[in-house]
Amino acid sequence: MPLPPPVEREHLHTRRYQFEGFQRTDGLWDIEGRIVDEKSYSFSNHDRGTIPAGEALHHMEVRLTVDEDFRIVDVAATTESGPFHACPAIAPNYKKLIGARIGAGWRASLKQLFAGTEGCTHITEMLGAMATVAFQTMWPVLAKRPEHRGTGDKRPPLIDSCHAFSSDGEVVRREWPQYYTGPKPVGAPGEKPAKKAGGGRN
């Protein structure tokens, strides 16, 4: 369902994200992200002079190279466009992610490593979203693991990770019935038949 029609308005700003995932020939995986901010109007900037309408105010790109355990083995970050001459200088700092693992606590680790002057707001924000891109890209690997198929000793980590994967929802009942916590379907073993209304004689 689309958004409801807006009131009359003027378009001022556009932010575009682009994320892509690649399987490499050396057994590793590349996860790439790009952020571009543009204004619909021209404006003056101390370091760049006039920034015309449609020209990138921010343009940052990141490549994470990871192994099958989601361990980061290399990072490349760049600032193609920023509002200040100083912006590109912080990009090499993201090499600190080498050795980190994408998984639980990912966003918290980003805040710890790149808080304040240690990072670029836009690169760090983009990296937060790149975790789910990594999981989507590497699903062929994850799908083979017992814990994700629901055949291991541990409950699949997808359960209760979002609304669709609620443990009492239809998706979990269908895919991982042993971990389903919702009401049993009518007629299922152990399910008592509903009582008739009224309780009197017919």
Side-chain angles (χ1 to χ4, degrees), residues 27-64:
L28 299 175
W29 306 72
D30 282 340
I31 312 300
E32 295 187 355
R34 179 180 299 106
I35 179 175
V36 178
D37 280 335
E38 298 171 352
K39 303 295 185 184
S40 63
Y41 54 89
S42 301
F43 61 99
S44 61
N45 175 273
H46 183 276
D47 286 18
R48 291 171 54 183
T50 297
I51 299 180
E55 181 175 300
L57 172 63
H58 300 110
H59 177 183
M60 290 84 174
E61 300 186 11
V62 176
R63 176 186 298 143
L64 301 177

Side-chain angles (χ1 to χ4, degrees), residues 92-191:
N93 205 34
Y94 286 88
K95 289 282 188 182
K96 292 194 298 186
L97 281 171
I98 294 175
R101 185 176 182 275
I102 299 174
W106 171 247
R107 290 179 185 271
S109 65
L110 292 175
K111 289 181 179 180
Q112 182 178 5
L113 287 170
F114 308 113
T117 59
E118 291 299 306
C120 164
T121 300
H122 307 291
I123 292 177
T124 302
E125 183 178 299
M126 181 168 55
L127 280 165
M130 289 175 69
T132 55
V133 181
F135 284 106
Q136 290 285 341
T137 301
M138 298 173 65
W139 180 249
V141 173
L142 292 173
K144 297 177 182 178
R145 297 179 177 177
E147 64 268 25
H148 283 270
R149 297 201 311 268
T151 56
D153 296 331
K154 295 182 179 180
R155 193 176 80 151
L158 284 175
I159 296 178
D160 287 330
S161 64
C162 73
H163 171 72
F165 288 118
S166 173
S167 62
D168 61 356
E170 172 60 22
V171 174
V172 171
R173 186 190 70 79
R174 183 184 68 237
E175 301 294 333
W176 303 289
Q178 68 273 38
Y179 297 106
Y180 175 67
T181 62
K184 294 181 180 178
V186 175
E191 183 74 8

